[in-house]
Amino acid sequence: MKWNQILLFIVAGVVIWTSLLSGNARATTDTIEEDYTTHCAECHGAGRLGGMGPALLPENLKRVSKDEAVEVILNGRTATQMPAFGNILDNEKARALVEMIYTPLAHIPVWDIEAIRASHKILAPTPALDGPIFDADPTNLFIVVELGDHHATVLDGDLMEPIHRFKTHFALHGGPKYSSDGRFVYFASRDGWISKYDLWNLTTVSEVRAGINTRNLAVSADDRFVMVANYLPHTLVILDAEDLSPIRVIDIRDAEGNSSRASAVYVAPPRESFVVALKDIAEVWEIQYRDNPLPVYNGLMHDYRLAEGLAEQGMFPVRRIQLDDYLDDFFFSQDYRRLFGTARNSKKGQVVQMDIGRKIAELDIDGMPHLGSGITFDYQGRTVLATPNLRKGEVTVIDLETYKTIRRIETLGPGFFMRSHENSRYAFVDVFFGKDSDAIHVIDKATLEIVETLRPEPGKTAAHVEFDRDGRHALVSIWDMDGAVVVYDTASLKEIKRLPMVKPSGKYNVHNKITRSSGTSH
Ligand code: DHE
């Protein structure tokens, strides 16, 4: 063979080899992309920026190892809508997907105050009204979120009849929050849209996109501000509650500059502040919304006498309460001085005293208590906290003075939501996961025993209970496209009505929310 023939042979070989390689690479990439589009995009967004499920970006996956992510793809994730793909995808494909979601996007859209401002829309005027334009008691209305076709229904809580049904943004999550008079209600969608709805005039009055992937919102007790907690970008956004125009974007960073997602924000009315749990930093933040905020120094809020000489800090100063663990989810005592949180690593609940900003006790609850859904009530003269558990078939009852677990009530499976009412002797808890997800347990608060297990529609998940204003009726969702809200009499525990709805999720009674009933979430 001549030299030029040998050279040609080598070049041809290299060309064939390279094209084989790139062909292979393309085939693999196509497959991963197709897998992503087929199995992931519907919930996590075509661009991995999140939707019904969280954004799948390295910035948001810091606390999940690649091995854990493979496990989640194959076996699903407890307490979420994430199904198991183990029967569709093998280990290799799951790993390829994980490599993909841990690769940074070439370009993440910037969602700063300018972008937020550009998305802001006023949709309808807010007329001066003395009451609703319809004939029903405005304090006993319910909003029912219908996840199935992204609508919400306004329900008359006396007649138990729908008054109006309207379209919402895609995938609302978390409880809508009411203004203090119950006229306005604010919704957050998982993809960042915040809407303000006029319940008396039955119109959406304004909306704004406050984030790309949002957790929830809270409304200040003085009705002036809305705070939005985001997964992406890592920000808190303060909006004007009047028209939802943006006021301030706060970057979530620790002292070293590490950024974090927000787990959730809640309002603490007597403290005139918002309290925020962070996902990736072991801190809880407290942000006052009063006009003359108490100066924040060394993790404490000081009164002016002590704080003489401290520099003017302006509105919304951030108080950082340092913890020794991450808090995922929390719940306040009725006076908002103690916070009960679920700690990720220690597997124990944490009690944080808000005035001194320190952990003061641990709670003996394992599994994954859903403290955000906890309720408090009186048991034998003591205030107790009862919480369902997202990993265990148990409702845990804790004495709030001694922090001792006084009862573990065994249930038919892990539950998501728990509810009661001051006027009812019962608490209701669902069994969201497992073969008994069609069951709702009724617990007698005086004995801490399950006295009845309802099965409103055998074979279909029954979840999330909310009482009416007087505690006489409890509404249960049949969590199905062909679903319903089933109304029970809370004395006889008999069904009295069934209203067809499209995968109803949460229901929110105006009176119970604006009076911050101890039996419901705030
Ligand atoms: Fe929720 C409230 C977090 C999955 C339906 N959920 C909340 C709140 C938080 C939270 C922090 C309180 C916000 C508020 O009300 O202001 N939820 C989480 C999760 O971390 C979790 C486990 C994983 C995730 O996907 O984010 C999760 N949640 C779900 C679901 O899979 C549910 C069942 C269906 C859905 O809509 O995604 C679900 N979450 C709800 C509902 C509320 C809620 C209906 C309001 C409860 C209430 O009565 O106040």
Side-chain angles (χ1 to χ4, degrees):
M1 202 184 279
K2 292 189 177 148
W3 274 112
N4 55 351
Q5 282 174 312
I6 293 172
L7 196 62
L8 195 68
F9 185 75
I10 293 171
V11 169
V14 168
V15 168
I16 290 166
W17 180 241
T18 317
S19 71
L20 268 180
L21 267 186
S22 65
N24 261 345
R26 197 167 33 243
T28 317
T29 307
D30 282 344
T31 315
I32 299 167
E33 280 164 0
E34 275 166 22
D35 282 344
Y36 182 85
T37 309
T38 312
H39 305 300
C40 318
E42 188 182 338
C43 290
H44 295 282
R48 289 163 45 201
L49 294 172
M52 180 79 180
L56 295 179
L57 303 172
E59 296 82 346
N60 282 26
L61 293 166
K62 281 184 210 151
R63 278 171 56 197
V64 185
S65 72
K66 288 187 178 178
D67 287 345
E68 280 165 346
V70 170
E71 167 78 15
V72 169
I73 292 173
L74 296 177
N75 299 319
R77 193 175 184 81
T78 322
T80 70
Q81 306 294 310
M82 173 74 189
F85 288 94
N87 54 350
I88 306 173
L89 300 170
D90 60 19
N91 202 59
E92 204 183 323
K93 285 194 165 187
R95 199 153 283 281
L97 275 171
V98 167
E99 288 305 327
M100 173 189 181
I101 64 179
Y102 280 76
T103 307
L105 283 184
H107 171 69
I108 298 183
V110 173
W111 212 255
D112 57 10
I113 197 152
E114 290 313 321
I116 298 171
R117 196 167 284 131
S119 72
H120 178 229
K121 290 178 212 143
I122 308 273
L123 300 170
T126 306
L129 293 174
D130 295 329
I133 56 168
F134 48 87
D135 199 14
D137 179 346
T139 66
N140 200 20
L141 298 174
F142 286 83
I143 288 279
V144 185
V145 172
E146 294 181 67
L147 267 190
D149 61 352
H150 313 289
H151 277 70
T153 289
V154 181
L155 194 69
D156 176 339
D158 292 323
L159 301 177
M160 291 298 169
E161 272 173 15
I163 294 172
H164 183 63
R165 191 168 189 267
F166 60 95
K167 194 154 179 46
T168 67
H169 271 280
F170 174 79
L172 296 186
H173 177 235
K177 303 287 151 57
Y178 292 102
S179 59
S180 54
D181 60 0
R183 172 170 178 180
F184 298 104
V185 54
Y186 299 84
F187 298 96
S189 76
R190 288 205 186 241
D191 60 359
W193 281 100
I194 309 300
S195 321
K196 178 177 180 179
Y197 186 79
D198 184 345
L199 204 48
W200 291 2
N201 198 30
L202 301 176
T203 44
T204 303
V205 289
S206 50
E207 62 181 27
V208 67
R209 191 170 185 191
I212 294 173
N213 194 200
T214 287
R215 291 302 281 167
N216 76 328
L217 65 77
V219 180
S220 62
D222 60 9
D223 294 327
R224 292 195 301 159
F225 306 108
V226 172
M227 183 177 277
V228 182
N230 286 327
Y231 259 11
L232 192 71
H234 296 177
T235 53
L236 300 168
V237 177
I238 300 170
L239 306 171
D240 185 334
E242 181 74 30
D243 65 355
L244 296 183
S245 55
I247 295 175
R248 172 92 56 96
V249 175
I250 300 174
D251 281 329
I252 308 175
R253 289 188 185 280
D254 66 11
E256 279 77 50
N258 302 307
S259 76
S260 170
R261 294 165 292 167
S263 293
V265 56
Y266 298 99
V267 65
R271 310 181 65 81
E272 294 180 78
S273 63
F274 294 110
V275 179
V276 187
L278 305 179
K279 202 97 187 162
D280 312 302
I281 298 177
E283 291 178 6
V284 165
W285 283 13
E286 180 169 24
I287 299 172
Q288 302 162 71
Y289 52 73
R290 61 179 91 183
D291 280 333
N292 295 304
L294 301 180
V296 174
Y297 179 65
N298 236 353
L300 293 171
M301 296 191 311
H302 298 260
D303 74 31
Y304 281 105
R305 194 171 40 79
L306 293 173
E308 247 171 69
L310 281 183
E312 177 59 48
Q313 294 176 329
M315 284 286 279
F316 313 118
V318 176
R319 172 192 183 200
R320 296 156 182 273
I321 299 175
Q322 308 284 343
L323 303 173
D324 49 18
D325 203 343
Y326 305 95
L327 281 198
D328 271 340
D329 186 17
F330 65 81
F331 169 86
F332 285 110
S333 56
Q334 281 291 98
D335 62 4
Y336 290 85
R337 298 185 73 188
R338 286 173 297 167
L339 174 158
F340 307 102
T342 319
R344 247 305 131 92
N345 297 329
S346 82
K347 311 281 184 224
K348 293 254 183 206
Q350 316 269 304
V351 185
V352 178
Q353 214 289 350
M354 291 297 292
D355 299 332
I356 58 172
R358 261 191 286 122
K359 181 173 106 180
I360 53 165
E362 286 191 339
L363 302 176
D364 181 19
I365 21 178
D366 47 14
M368 196 200 254
H370 196 207
L371 284 175
S373 188
I375 58 168
T376 55
F377 56 90
D378 222 52
Y379 173 69
Q380 299 185 345
R382 304 180 276 186
T383 305
V384 295
L385 156 72
T387 170
N389 199 301
L390 295 168
R391 287 231 177 96
K392 284 174 76 178
E394 173 180 308
V395 166
T396 319
V397 184
I398 297 162
D399 184 322
L400 284 190
E401 287 316 312
T402 62
Y403 304 120
K404 295 269 179 289
T405 295
I406 58 165
R407 190 71 64 87
R408 294 177 186 277
I409 306 169
E410 199 182 321
T411 60
L412 287 170
F416 225 106
F417 303 107
M418 182 154 190
R419 280 290 189 277
S420 189
H421 189 282
E422 285 79 356
N423 297 344
S424 172
R425 61 184 292 186
Y426 300 123
F428 289 61
V429 65
D430 56 40
V431 181
F432 202 87
F433 305 98
K435 63 178 179 41
D436 287 296
S437 71
D438 55 358
I440 298 273
H441 294 301
V442 183
I443 297 169
D444 187 333
K445 293 190 285 185
T447 61
L448 303 182
E449 302 286 346
I450 293 177
V451 289
E452 189 141 343
T453 296
L454 308 168
R455 293 200 191 250
E457 183 140 355
K460 288 188 177 173
T461 299
H464 195 279
V465 176
E466 176 83 329
F467 284 71
D468 66 0
R469 182 191 50 206
D470 304 320
R472 289 189 299 124
H473 300 113
L475 282 61
V476 179
S477 295
I478 305 295
W479 207 281
D480 192 271
M481 291 305 277
D482 185 15
V485 162
V486 182
V487 184
Y488 285 92
D489 179 307
T490 54
S492 65
L493 300 179
K494 296 277 175 272
E495 176 181 336
I496 58 158
K497 198 156 192 177
R498 190 168 280 240
L499 304 160
M501 302 231 179
V502 188
K503 204 175 183 186
S505 57
K507 301 156 294 297
Y508 309 90
N509 178 270
V510 171
H511 171 86
N512 295 342
K513 295 297 178 193
I514 65 178
T515 57
R516 298 183 195 280
S517 157
S518 61
T520 191
S521 59
H522 302 161

